[in-house]
């Protein structure tokens, strides 16, 4: 930065990111109820693998767990050993690796499932049972009392075996409030849980709905940890999870690159970056490894993320439109953050580059001509080359590679020497 350019360092403005002061308006801050310590619970190896066309081997799961531990994930939901021998063996091996992350199992509310988890020696168990009466009646074909009794017995057994018990209520967000709380109250009084998960199985919550749900559960079950699990059916998974954190959720369920069933789970990359840069909440994740970890996992899963997906998309630091590039050329030595919300390399992403195509203008042409050692002060040459670039891009229906640009530039330059 030049000496003439100065700014006041604030939670929304420093040399690594530049978001908005509105995020810290007093009206907004009056709604903040952040937990003292927010934890990230990764579901990639269980819910993430439920994504259509994804199947991870035992060795791949172990390798992913090591990556997650390295990036600083607090808890890893490593699989469902009761229904998969591969999961059982993968979890068994993970526990031998002395990972920094706590290892959890996912299980049904069945004593036999809880026994497997306890015998493995995991830290905790996420125990699922439907909260929606319609799902219990028509999906499970159970009477309500049978479901309650199963949850009571299994959670009590898991607790007695020394496991941290997370009660995970399927389709909680759409369940009748009176019915669901009667169910939870019964488990709380007769069974046991350390934490209650507000589960938005069908991605049916709005951000404000997520906030209200968490506040209600925090008040009703004071003394219990509240967790939040969302899906992205309406593209709200990350926003919902952030708002759940604002409301006081202690643990946030997320996956790498939003992998998961249907439209996926919540992206931990989105949540961690948003909390850090828009709410001044650092959850302890090493953001310099976000892109590397995402690439590693999506490659193994054969599930590439959208090219321009926020934070981890491979093309997000590429510029093509002529006007913004013209601006950037003038300000890049002053402060790049005038044009961007954060510096891309802090997530392990490549820095700004210019693509050459239909949207290119004179600044891009001159930039690459200068790299080639060709003159940039001949306006006719620059204009003709720019038109040729646009035409070639339209013919190919994509951008030019740098070698293609160089060949085109050399060909046209011959007319001007």
């Amino acid at each position: 930065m030049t000496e003439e350019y100065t700014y006041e360092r604030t939670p929304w403005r420093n040399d690594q990111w530049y978001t908005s002061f509105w995020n810290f308006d007093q009206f907004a801050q009056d709604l903040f109820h952040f937990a003292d310590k927010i934890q990230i619970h990764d579901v990639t190896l269980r819910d993430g693998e439920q994504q259509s066309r994804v199947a991870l081997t035992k060795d791949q799961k172990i390798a992913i767990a090591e990556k997650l531990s390295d990036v600083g994930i607090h808890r890893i939901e490593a699989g469902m050993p009761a229904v998969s021998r591969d999961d059982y063996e993968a979890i068994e091996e993970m526990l031998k690796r002395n990972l920094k992350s706590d290892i959890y199992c996912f299980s049904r509310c069945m004593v036999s499932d809880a026994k497997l988890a306890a015998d493995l020696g995991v830290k905790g168990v996420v125990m699922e049972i439907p909260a929606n009466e319609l799902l219990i009646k028509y999906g499970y074909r159970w009477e309500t009392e049978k479901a309650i009794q199963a949850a009571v017995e299994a959670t009590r057994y898991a607790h007695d075996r020394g496991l941290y018990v997370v009660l995970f209520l399927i389709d909680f967000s759409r369940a009748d409030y009176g019915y669901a709380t009667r169910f939870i109250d019964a488990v709380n009084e007769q069974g046991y849980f350390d934490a209650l998960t507000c589960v938005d199985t069908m991605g049916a919550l709005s951000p404000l709905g997520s906030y209200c749900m968490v506040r209600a559960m925090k008040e009703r079950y004071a003394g219990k940890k509240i967790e939040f699990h969302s899906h992205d059916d309406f593209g709200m998974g990350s926003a919902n999870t952030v708002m759940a954190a604002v409301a006081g959720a202690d643990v946030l369920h997320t996956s790498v690159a939003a992998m998961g069933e249907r439209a996926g789970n919540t992206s931990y990359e989105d949540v961690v970056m948003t909390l850090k840069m828009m709410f001044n909440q650092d959850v302890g994740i090493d953001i310099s490894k976000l892109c590397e970890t995402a690439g590693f996992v999506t490659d193994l899963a054969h599930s590439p993320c959208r090219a321009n997906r926020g934070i981890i998309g491979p093309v997000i630091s590429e510029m093509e439109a002529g006007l913004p590039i013209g601006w950037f050329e003038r300000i890049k030595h002053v402060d790049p953050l005038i044009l961007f919300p954060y510096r891309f390399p802090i997530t392990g992403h490549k820095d700004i580059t210019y693509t050459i195509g239909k949207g290119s203008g004179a600044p891009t042409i001159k930039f690459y001509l200068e790299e080639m050692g060709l003159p940039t002060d001949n306006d006719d040459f620059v204009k003709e080359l720019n038109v040729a670039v646009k035409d070639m891009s339209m013919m190919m229906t994509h951008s030019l590679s740098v070698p293609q640009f160089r060949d085109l530039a050399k060909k046209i330059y011959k007319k001007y020497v």
Side-chain angles (χ1 to χ4, degrees):
M1 296 183 187
T2 64
E3 292 182 6
E4 294 79 13
Y5 180 74
T6 59
Y7 62 87
E8 179 184 359
R9 293 178 67 89
T10 64
W12 61 87
R13 181 72 173 99
N14 55 43
D15 59 355
Q16 296 298 313
W17 63 83
Y18 182 6
T19 55
S20 173
F21 69 89
W22 287 106
N23 301 327
F24 297 89
D25 182 84
Q26 191 57 54
F27 180 81
Q29 293 194 65
D30 288 344
L31 300 175
F32 291 1
H33 296 280
F34 289 107
D36 291 336
K37 183 180 180 181
I38 300 170
Q39 291 192 312
I40 301 297
H41 174 94
D42 185 89
V43 301
T44 307
L45 299 181
R46 198 273 307 174
D47 215 345
E49 193 190 22
Q50 288 180 205
Q51 179 175 311
S52 177
R53 308 183 186 189
V54 172
L56 299 170
T57 68
K58 167 189 166 182
D59 289 341
Q60 287 173 331
K61 287 196 168 191
I62 294 166
I64 290 171
E66 289 178 325
K67 283 287 186 182
L68 295 174
S69 176
D70 189 47
V71 84
I73 294 295
H74 306 102
R75 295 179 2 188
I76 298 172
E77 189 177 295
M80 201 168 178
V83 298
S84 170
R85 183 65 191 175
D86 281 347
D87 279 10
Y88 185 97
E89 293 177 354
I91 294 168
E92 194 173 40
E93 182 60 32
M94 287 175 207
L95 292 167
K96 296 176 183 177
R97 301 289 174 102
N98 295 316
L99 303 179
K100 292 179 288 185
S101 307
D102 289 330
I103 304 299
Y104 278 56
C105 285
F106 192 80
S107 79
R108 299 161 295 188
C109 274
M110 297 172 60
V111 170
S112 57
D113 282 22
K115 183 178 186 304
L116 272 178
D119 290 347
L120 273 167
V122 295
K123 176 81 172 183
V125 60
V126 179
M127 308 195 76
E128 67 164 351
I129 194 80
N132 191 325
E133 184 178 14
L134 296 173
L135 185 55
I136 291 176
K137 183 176 180 179
Y138 296 108
Y140 278 57
R141 297 190 183 277
W142 283 6
E143 296 296 326
T144 296
E145 291 309 314
K146 179 179 179 181
I148 290 175
Q149 191 57 37
V152 166
E153 291 178 1
T155 57
R156 173 57 63 184
Y157 176 86
H159 173 65
D160 290 346
R161 288 291 306 271
L163 292 167
Y164 186 92
V165 179
V166 180
L167 184 61
F168 186 95
L169 297 173
I170 303 170
D171 205 16
F172 189 11
S173 65
R174 299 192 305 174
D176 175 79
Y177 182 79
Y179 179 87
T181 51
R182 180 169 72 87
F183 194 111
I184 299 167
D185 290 345
V187 179
N188 191 29
E189 293 164 9
Q190 304 167 42
Y192 184 87
F193 60 86
D194 295 285
L196 171 67
T197 308
C198 294
V199 184
D200 187 24
T201 305
M202 304 304 168
L205 283 169
S206 70
L208 286 176
S210 303
Y211 182 93
C212 292
M213 186 181 189
V214 170
R215 292 305 303 152
M217 293 303 103
K218 293 284 285 188
E219 291 175 13
R220 187 179 181 96
Y221 300 103
K224 299 290 186 180
K225 297 291 186 181
I226 300 299
E227 308 193 359
F228 189 81
H229 179 108
S230 186
H231 282 255
D232 204 36
D233 295 78
F234 287 88
M236 292 289 172
S238 296
N240 289 345
T241 303
V242 168
M243 285 301 289
V246 174
D250 301 277
V251 180
L252 309 176
H253 291 209
T254 62
S255 67
V256 174
M259 281 177 59
E261 194 167 7
R262 301 187 316 279
N265 288 88
T266 292
S267 157
Y268 93 102
E269 299 93 351
D270 292 356
V271 170
V272 167
M273 290 282 282
T274 300
L275 288 176
K276 186 180 183 73
M277 298 177 186
M278 295 186 189
F279 293 93
N280 201 29
Q281 297 290 315
D282 189 336
V283 300
I285 301 297
D286 185 351
I287 64 171
S288 72
K289 296 176 180 176
L290 293 184
C291 290
E292 175 197 348
T293 304
F296 180 82
V297 174
T298 55
D299 283 351
L300 286 183
H302 303 290
S303 178
C305 70
R306 191 183 78 236
N308 67 335
R309 195 193 191 292
I311 301 170
I312 58 173
V315 307
I316 60 172
S317 63
E318 296 177 3
M319 301 177 70
E320 184 168 318
L323 186 60
I325 290 175
W327 293 340
F328 189 66
E329 280 295 300
R330 298 185 192 104
I331 69 171
K332 65 183 181 181
H333 300 300
V334 178
D335 184 1
L337 289 173
I338 294 173
L339 274 186
F340 301 100
Y342 64 91
R343 290 180 179 265
F344 296 105
I346 67 174
T347 63
H349 204 288
K350 66 181 180 181
D351 210 347
I352 303 300
T353 57
Y354 302 157
T355 54
I356 310 162
K358 178 184 176 182
S360 295
T364 304
I365 302 301
K366 291 180 178 180
F367 175 85
Y368 282 104
L369 287 176
E370 191 170 320
E371 277 197 344
M372 294 174 65
L374 294 179
T376 61
D377 56 355
N378 187 321
D379 291 342
D380 291 337
F381 168 48
V382 171
K383 184 176 180 179
E384 182 177 350
L385 179 54
N386 198 12
V387 170
V389 163
K390 292 175 183 290
D391 290 345
M392 187 171 179
S393 176
M394 287 298 294
M395 180 185 69
M396 298 189 301
T397 68
H398 59 77
S399 300
L400 282 67
S401 66
V402 173
Q404 285 174 326
F405 172 82
R406 288 173 178 163
D407 290 342
L408 188 61
K410 290 174 183 176
K411 179 180 178 180
I412 293 175
Y413 182 62
K414 291 177 181 178
K415 297 165 57 176
Y416 292 87
V417 295

